[in-house]
Amino acid sequence: MYKLAYSKYKNMTPLLIKKEQILTGLSTNRISNTIGSLINCSLNHITFTFDSSSGGSVCTIRHEDLPRRATFNPDSFCVTHAHSAPITDIQYNNFNQSVLATCALDSTIKLWTVSDDSESNLSKMDLLTSIPLNENRSDCIQWNPNVAGIFVSSSLNTVYLWDVNDNQVNNVQTIRAHTDTIQGLTWKRDGSLLCTTAKDKTMIIVDPRNINTNQNLKIENSKTANKDSKICWLGETNCILSSVYTQSFTREIHLWDIRNTSSPVHESTIDSGNNVLNPFYDHDTSALFLVGKAETTIKYGEVFLNDSNWSFAHNSSQALDDQIKAVCLLPKLGLDLMKCEIDRLILLTRNSVYPLPYLAPRNDKTSFHQNLYPDTYNLNKPGCDKKLWMEGQNSQTIKIPLNPNTIRNNGVSDERKTHNVPETSNSSVNFVATQSTKTESVNVANMLSSININNMSEMSESNSKTKNTHNKQDKDSSSDKENDQTKKAENVLMRSNLNPNVLSTPNKLAPLSNLDNRKSKAKSVYYQSKFKYINGKAAHKNEHITNIRSLSTMWSAESNGFQINSKHAAFFVSGNSGQIGIVELNKVGRLDDAVINTLVNRVKCSDFQWDPFDDETLAAACDDCTIKLWKIPEEGLDQSLEDPPIVLTGHADRLASIKYHPYAKNVLASSSYDKTIKIWNIDSRLPIITLHSHTDFIFSFNWSPCGSKLATICKDGYIRVYEPLKSEFPILESKCGPRKDAKAARIEWVLHGRGLLASGFGTGNLRQIFLFDSENLNELKSEDINHSPSLLIPYFDVDINVLYLYAKGEETINLYEIQEEEPYFQVLTPFKPDGSHLAIGFLPKISCDIKSAEIAKAYRLTKDNRIEPMSFTVPRVKLSFFQDDIYPDTIDRHESYLNANDWFNGIQPELIYINLQPAGMQKLSEILAVEQSTQPSKPNRNIEIARKESNGSNGTGDMYDPQNLSTDERKIISSMLQRATLFRNNDKSEDEEDNSEWD
């Protein structure tokens, strides 16, 4: 009995993307049901047609721009009026991914070049040539998959072979083999043969170079009804797949062997429906996707061609929300290989365009799985020269490995970015309808007979190879284990100790990306973080502040929405007057049911922050282009305040966020929707410095630890670094920030000013964090977190380099230790308190309980109207000693170092560091050093044995002499002997019982 071989792709599943990644607002209801493809893609671009006045318009968009454009607008996209009648097919050139061919019902075929316009940041299409036809329509186009510059087109029952040169397009051959309209074209993967199917219920295999049509091979398919039939040549094999609609109203898949065309080798009934299923075949993995037009289901299966028993297995079906109009497959080189993406479909539905990736389930998605990716066809080099092919010669296809390292070394990765684009000429291209002469005619019948002889030997060899199927399965299944072992064998570099005294002069430090010997060191030393098992704990309910009335949950992504200091907590209160509620942290328990006292700004407030050097001063950024500074009474608010003592005005548009200077008193920076950042001298109520160069909305900004620099992350995708006291323009600017049109992002200085951490989104709401070198903005590391629409808000502990990540409306707090060497991000134990939080505020390090190894203290604003204290501790055994390895000297932030005038005059402060060691506690490092010095060294037993053997003793008896054993060793040996004696007695008694039974 025949048994299917093990498949690595059986459980391949689609990844349904978020709605934000779907380009909506299209209309494709009036698109005609053609035999060609109404959407196609290259490595860089996607081109599709849509409803227009004439039906001949196409839109081109880059892959990376697809999830960034939420709604389709012809004015914001590259829309080209390509034809004067509805388009019937769109096909990209296999070996020149910037050349596109289109055909339509206006009896023309047009070739285009697709590129990117740097000025408008959009794609553009330039016409290369227009080919008129004698027929009244053009139905389908297919480029030769193994020869550059050759394609065929169909019009009614005629097939045309075209030769594309630099300055002309020649009609090489005209084939009329069918008596009715052609419904499909497909090449053999080596480009030697062409198969066509038509309404006359026949399939014809031809060599398009051959003039003699009597040598064509004709296949009758009597089961086909009077509907379209689709065909697909399966790679370089002798198998042709046909998708038919039978007379019994069922949809079937037929596998034909061109060596024996009397009947299909395999027939598989899929289902019943109104339209024929369009096949999309992956030549590398033998995966087959079946899609019916105007349907909502995609069927996935596999074709097995291991031996003579060919078959098709239907694995799964995926239902969608909208009717499918057209589908195309992304080339293999464009897949996300590290995420185990096997195939990616680009769908054109009734109202949208979006990708649908199919992933193989693997636990390890950080390394390349070689067993999932066989060699693929080279898109950079054709397998056969066009001149030789026209003379009748055939060549094998060229394949390349998909391993990212191999691709990079071979230079294939450059193909994703640049292509050899033909120059566009304003003059019309000469169309020459001539028939080329051949030095040698090609006989299809002879070719098929030779194929039969060769493949019979191949089939016999494949039968002998089926005995080794289990061995191949073992190799495939063990590849993941090898990847895991390889990953575990890679060690990371121990974090070097940073001298905190260099905080005042960060520019003297070497850039992170220029440190030498990182990789060599990373493989020799394993680093175990001291903070790996940080223990997060929420305080008891008796310490919570509850019953916070009218708590607002709506604020912009640029604000944390919750700020605390050592005395007060501030939060947004619902209403239209921009109210900020204030509560005292020491007044725990349930608040009164009365309305909470607030700061009334009278307009909507976007952000607020406490003065770091004055616990009673709060700054609020408002939509009326002002910053209001409020003074809170020391005993707290006993009534609502409506008149702020200080109001700063100067921005031309509403404000977004504000940040106090870390060391200078009364220095405040603010960002606005006017695309500027102003730095204020609160003493004079004036903006002294205005930072420019932003071309879009500023997502976030932050002061450097030394206070001399300021970094911004903008919606235009740029990260900029300023030195405000030297220039109003950035000293560094790089397009390394979030993807364009992202909805939010945050930026933080890390590693004592030597690094910049950005939190943002990738495609499909994939939350990511990035680490950059602050000296040159080179990307050092990126880390994918998870998929969620909420922005990850970072808080960085500058003393111990621990990063806390939380998001509004979620429950988990992710922790990382950031290192200045690979792997840069060390994952720590996450903390998941009960219930979701709206925001989190952290207190300075000086407020931590050092005696209990507490490294961070925070307050959590929850959805159930409460403020909940939290503590993060490091588990330690000897808590009676000061854990100096996790408490380096920290900067004294209780008092300011400069006033505003001194800072604006360029005076650099001398920072003061304080020791966190409590009085009366001894350092743990000193105790461990004393214990290690006083501990007696253990004798080397091997040396003792060798010494006794040299004296003439065998050493065996002396080695087990009780006089040479320690007290612990004696106890262990005595216990082992007692247990052995007990087992021996039990076995002896059982044997005696067994013997007595036999007696």
Side-chain angles (χ1 to χ4, degrees):
M1 181 179 178
Y2 175 72
K3 183 178 180 180
L4 287 177
Y6 166 78
S7 172
K8 301 181 290 292
Y9 312 103
K10 180 179 180 180
N11 297 320
M12 194 166 66
T13 56
L15 177 63
L16 298 179
I17 63 175
K18 303 290 184 181
K19 292 183 178 180
E20 293 80 2
Q21 199 175 357
I22 299 177
L23 176 61
T24 59
L26 290 172
S27 177
T28 60
N29 295 322
R30 293 185 294 172
I31 293 179
S32 59
N33 188 10
T34 64
I35 65 174
S37 177
L38 301 179
I39 184 172
N40 212 302
C41 67
S42 64
L43 290 175
N44 299 325
H45 299 92
I46 303 172
T47 302
F48 57 91
T49 184
F50 57 94
D51 290 345
S52 58
S53 58
S54 63
S57 297
V58 294
C59 176
T60 300
I61 186 173
R62 293 176 298 187
H63 284 282
E64 59 268 23
D65 290 341
L66 184 59
R68 306 176 186 177
R69 308 293 182 91
T71 304
F72 177 75
N73 183 5
D75 296 333
S76 303
F77 289 81
C78 172
V79 175
T80 304
H81 185 69
H83 294 269
S84 59
I87 292 177
T88 56
D89 199 5
I90 301 171
Q91 293 293 332
Y92 274 95
N93 192 341
N94 296 326
F95 302 106
N96 193 341
Q97 296 275 300
S98 61
V99 174
L100 177 71
T102 61
C103 62
L105 298 180
D106 58 359
S107 303
T108 58
I109 298 174
K110 294 185 179 181
L111 300 183
W112 310 80
T113 57
V114 180
S115 59
D116 294 330
D117 189 355
S118 58
E119 296 181 358
S120 62
N121 202 20
L122 296 175
S123 302
K124 63 177 181 178
M125 291 177 57
D126 297 317
L127 181 64
L128 283 176
T129 182
S130 178
I131 308 172
L133 300 176
N134 296 328
E135 308 289 344
N136 59 359
R137 59 184 295 168
S138 180
D139 296 322
C140 185
I141 300 173
Q142 285 292 326
W143 292 90
N144 191 303
N146 200 35
V147 183
I150 297 292
F151 73 92
V152 294
S153 66
S154 67
S155 298
L156 298 177
N157 66 335
T158 307
V159 175
Y160 298 94
L161 178 64
W162 303 96
D163 178 11
V164 181
N165 294 320
D166 294 335
N167 57 354
Q168 63 181 2
V169 179
N170 296 328
N171 176 214
V172 180
Q173 183 67 275
T174 300
I175 304 171
R176 291 183 175 89
H178 290 280
T179 60
D180 208 336
T181 304
I182 295 175
Q183 297 174 331
L185 297 172
T186 181
W187 285 95
K188 190 176 181 180
R189 200 57 181 81
D190 60 2
S192 60
L193 299 175
L194 178 72
C195 182
T196 61
T197 181
K199 277 189 177 182
D200 56 10
K201 300 183 180 181
T202 61
M203 293 188 300
I204 295 181
I205 300 175
V206 301
D207 186 337
R209 299 164 291 185
N210 194 356
I211 303 176
N212 188 359
T213 58
N214 295 328
Q215 298 177 355
N216 298 336
L217 179 62
K218 188 175 183 179
I219 303 175
E220 299 285 347
N221 191 0
S222 58
K223 294 186 65 175
T224 305
N226 294 325
K227 284 200 174 186
D228 292 350
S229 60
K230 303 297 180 181
I231 54 175
C232 179
W233 206 309
L234 303 188
E236 301 177 54
T237 66
N238 301 315
C239 179
I240 296 178
L241 181 144
S242 65
S243 174
V244 300
Y245 189 88
T246 66
Q247 296 175 356
S248 57
F249 308 105
T250 61
R251 297 188 289 190
E252 296 183 359
I253 294 296
H254 296 173
L255 300 180
W256 296 86
D257 189 346
I258 62 176
R259 299 163 297 186
N260 182 10
T261 59
S262 59
S263 62
V265 176
H266 174 79
E267 297 181 4
S268 178
T269 301
I270 306 301
D271 57 7
S272 60
N274 297 325
N275 296 319
V276 69
L277 294 172
N278 294 308
F280 298 90
Y281 182 70
D282 183 348
H283 298 278
D284 299 333
T285 63
S286 299
L288 182 67
F289 301 92
L290 300 173
V291 183
K293 288 188 177 180
E295 296 185 2
T296 60
T297 303
I298 297 178
K299 298 174 175 60
Y300 158 68
E302 295 178 81
V303 179
F304 295 94
L305 303 176
N306 295 330
D307 48 32
S308 57
N309 293 321
W310 295 349
S311 62
F312 168 75
H314 179 206
N315 292 339
S316 64
S317 298
Q318 178 60 50
L320 303 176
D321 296 335
D322 202 357
Q323 292 182 358
I324 302 172
K325 289 293 184 178
V327 178
C328 67
L329 273 173
L330 178 70
K332 284 286 184 176
L333 292 175
L335 300 177
D336 191 350
L337 305 179
M338 306 307 292
K339 297 296 180 62
C340 300
E341 185 180 14
I342 307 301
D343 285 295
R344 185 187 303 175
L345 304 179
I346 309 297
L347 307 181
L348 174 64
T349 67
R350 186 175 54 181
N351 298 308
S352 61
V353 174
Y354 62 93
L356 184 65
Y358 273 76
L359 310 179
R362 291 294 185 271
N363 292 330
D364 180 17
K365 292 190 177 180
T366 59
S367 56
F368 178 72
H369 295 264
Q370 183 66 52
N371 65 314
L372 293 177
Y373 298 101
D375 293 351
T376 189
Y377 295 101
N378 192 351
L379 300 181
N380 199 34
K381 183 178 180 182
C384 185
D385 181 72
K386 180 167 62 175
K387 182 178 179 181
L388 297 178
W389 183 84
M390 296 295 296
E391 294 175 354
Q393 298 186 22
N394 299 313
S395 301
Q396 293 182 350
T397 57
I398 300 176
K399 290 190 175 184
I400 57 173
L402 277 175
N403 192 311
N405 297 327
T406 307
I407 292 176
R408 191 179 299 111
N409 295 333
N410 293 338
V412 182
S413 60
D414 294 337
E415 184 183 355
R416 305 185 185 202
K417 297 181 180 179
T418 59
H419 305 283
N420 296 325
V421 183
E423 295 182 359
T424 305
S425 176
N426 295 329
S427 60
S428 60
V429 178
N430 296 327
F431 174 76
V432 182
T434 60
Q435 194 167 303
S436 66
T437 60
K438 302 182 180 60
T439 58
E440 180 182 355
S441 63
V442 182
N443 192 327
V444 178
N446 294 337
M447 292 181 65
L448 294 177
S449 61
S450 63
I451 290 173
N452 190 12
I453 296 174
N454 295 333
N455 283 275
M456 288 301 292
S457 60
E458 293 177 3
M459 290 170 60
S460 61
E461 292 178 1
S462 63
N463 290 331
S464 62
K465 292 180 181 179
T466 54
K467 298 179 181 179
N468 299 327
T469 303
H470 295 289
N471 295 334
K472 293 182 180 180
Q473 295 177 16
D474 295 339
K475 292 180 181 179
D476 293 337
S477 60
S478 63
S479 63
D480 289 341
K481 297 181 180 179
E482 293 176 359
N483 290 333
D484 293 339
Q485 293 175 359
T486 304
K487 183 181 177 182
K488 292 179 181 179
E490 296 178 354
N491 296 325
V492 297
L493 179 62
M494 182 178 294
R495 172 179 173 270
S496 62
N497 295 324
L498 293 176
N499 182 7
N501 294 323
V502 301
L503 278 174
S504 58
T505 57
N507 293 332
K508 296 181 180 180
L509 296 174
L512 293 175
S513 56
N514 293 342
L515 295 182
D516 299 331
N517 301 325
R518 291 188 179 278
K519 295 184 178 179
S520 60
K521 292 181 181 180
K523 296 182 179 179
S524 59
V525 182
Y526 179 76
Y527 170 63
Q528 177 68 40
S529 173
K530 298 186 293 290
F531 309 101
K532 182 175 179 61
Y533 300 104
I534 288 180
N535 181 27
K537 183 180 180 181
H540 191 269
K541 292 183 178 180
N542 293 339
E543 302 179 25
H544 295 186
I545 301 175
T546 62
N547 195 32
I548 301 176
R549 307 295 296 271
S550 303
L551 178 64
S552 176
T553 60
M554 304 297 294
W555 59 79
S556 63
E558 295 75 48
S559 174
N560 291 351
F562 180 62
Q563 295 286 344
I564 62 170
N565 57 24
S566 59
K567 296 181 179 180
H568 312 287
F571 47 86
F572 284 112
V573 175
S574 59
N576 298 324
S577 56
Q579 300 182 70
I580 302 174
I582 306 294
V583 296
E584 285 68 47
L585 295 177
N586 58 355
K587 296 181 180 180
V588 298
R590 179 182 175 87
L591 298 179
D592 296 336
D593 292 336
V595 178
I596 191 171
N597 295 322
T598 62
L599 307 175
V600 182
N601 293 286
R602 292 190 176 90
V603 293
K604 184 179 179 181
C605 179
S606 58
D607 193 19
F608 54 86
Q609 191 182 28
W610 291 104
D611 188 332
F613 309 113
D614 186 355
D615 290 340
E616 277 71 39
T617 299
L618 180 76
C622 301
D623 283 2
D624 59 354
C625 310
T626 64
I627 302 175
K628 297 178 174 62
L629 277 73
W630 299 89
K631 192 70 175 179
I632 312 298
E634 294 185 3
E635 63 277 5
L637 285 181
D638 53 0
Q639 62 179 356
S640 296
L641 302 180
E642 297 182 357
D643 297 319
I646 298 176
V647 177
L648 306 178
T649 59
H651 277 290
D653 203 343
R654 59 192 178 99
L655 278 84
S657 60
I658 53 177
K659 290 285 189 307
Y660 273 100
H661 193 277
Y663 306 122
K665 177 70 174 176
N666 288 337
V667 176
L668 179 68
S670 62
S671 67
S672 169
Y673 280 80
D674 60 9
K675 304 174 186 178
T676 65
I677 292 180
K678 293 184 181 295
I679 302 179
W680 302 79
N681 184 343
I682 299 178
D683 294 335
S684 63
R685 275 68 163 173
L686 296 175
I688 307 301
I689 300 173
T690 301
L691 304 181
H692 303 280
S693 294
H694 297 96
T695 61
D696 210 328
F697 173 64
I698 302 170
F699 280 139
S700 173
F701 71 92
N702 227 321
W703 291 99
S704 64
C706 63
S708 62
K709 296 182 180 181
L710 190 142
T712 68
I713 186 168
C714 185
K715 193 175 182 179
D716 59 9
Y718 281 84
I719 292 179
R720 297 174 174 88
V721 178
Y722 294 82
E723 283 193 65
L725 295 178
K726 295 182 179 179
S727 174
E728 296 181 349
F729 298 93
I731 60 173
L732 285 176
E733 184 177 15
S734 177
K735 195 171 184 179
C736 55
R739 57 183 178 85
K740 188 174 176 59
D741 295 335
K743 56 185 179 181
R746 289 294 181 96
I747 194 165
E748 279 279 348
W749 291 83
V750 296
L751 299 175
H752 299 282
R754 299 170 65 180
L756 281 170
L757 180 115
S759 169
F761 293 92
T763 58
N765 280 337
L766 174 61
R767 298 193 293 191
Q768 298 173 308
I769 54 176
F770 301 87
L771 182 63
F772 302 96
D773 191 332
S774 62
E775 293 296 325
N776 47 35
L777 294 183
N778 291 335
E779 182 179 328
L780 303 176
K781 180 73 173 180
S782 64
E783 184 83 6
D784 296 343
I785 308 300
N786 53 21
H787 287 80
S788 179
S790 298
L791 175 68
L792 287 172
I793 301 175
Y795 170 78
F796 184 70
D797 190 328
V798 296
D799 296 329
I800 57 178
N801 294 334
V802 171
L803 174 69
Y804 301 82
L805 292 174
Y806 67 93
K808 180 181 177 181
E810 298 185 1
E811 300 178 358
T812 304
I813 303 174
N814 296 310
L815 289 88
Y816 294 85
E817 182 182 3
I818 300 183
Q819 305 165 356
E820 60 177 14
E821 295 166 336
E822 292 183 353
Y824 297 108
F825 294 125
Q826 188 75 259
V827 180
L828 308 179
T829 304
F831 174 48
K832 189 174 182 180
D834 294 336
S836 59
H837 42 252
L838 297 174
I840 298 176
F842 287 82
L843 290 174
K845 183 62 66 73
I846 196 67
S847 62
C848 294
D849 185 3
I850 307 300
K851 295 184 178 180
S852 61
E854 185 182 42
I855 60 171
K857 180 176 290 185
Y859 284 83
R860 191 169 72 113
L861 182 65
T862 66
K863 279 189 173 182
D864 54 352
N865 302 335
R866 68 174 60 228
I867 297 177
E868 174 184 302
M870 293 188 303
S871 174
F872 294 89
T873 59
V874 177
R876 290 297 173 95
V877 176
K878 300 181 180 181
L879 288 177
S880 58
F881 302 102
F882 173 60
Q883 313 292 320
D884 53 331
D885 59 329
I886 61 175
Y887 291 110
D889 292 348
T890 186
I891 301 175
D892 186 4
R893 304 176 188 273
H894 184 67
E895 299 289 342
S896 62
Y897 292 86
L898 297 172
N899 57 38
N901 293 328
D902 290 341
W903 186 82
F904 283 108
N905 290 330
I907 299 177
Q908 293 294 329
E910 294 183 1
L911 305 181
I912 300 175
Y913 288 79
I914 57 175
N915 193 338
L916 296 176
Q917 182 178 0
M921 292 187 70
Q922 194 172 359
K923 292 183 178 180
L924 178 63
S925 59
E926 297 176 354
I927 299 299
L928 295 178
V930 173
E931 291 180 354
Q932 187 175 3
S933 62
T934 58
Q935 184 177 5
S937 59
K938 294 183 179 180
N940 193 326
R941 193 171 300 279
N942 294 329
I943 297 178
E944 296 293 335
I945 294 173
R947 185 181 300 164
K948 292 182 180 181
E949 289 179 353
S950 64
N951 294 333
S953 173
N954 56 10
T956 305
D958 293 336
M959 184 174 67
Y960 295 102
D961 188 356
Q963 300 297 329
N964 295 334
L965 299 176
S966 64
T967 303
D968 294 337
E969 290 174 336
R970 293 175 189 174
K971 292 181 179 180
I972 294 174
I973 293 176
S974 176
S975 176
M976 293 174 62
L977 292 175
Q978 290 178 3
R979 293 178 63 84
T981 304
L982 179 61
F983 291 147
R984 185 168 60 251
N985 294 335
N986 292 338
D987 294 340
K988 186 175 181 180
S989 60
E990 291 178 359
D991 293 339
E992 292 176 354
E993 293 177 359
D994 294 340
N995 293 333
S996 62
E997 291 179 359
W998 284 104
D999 294 340

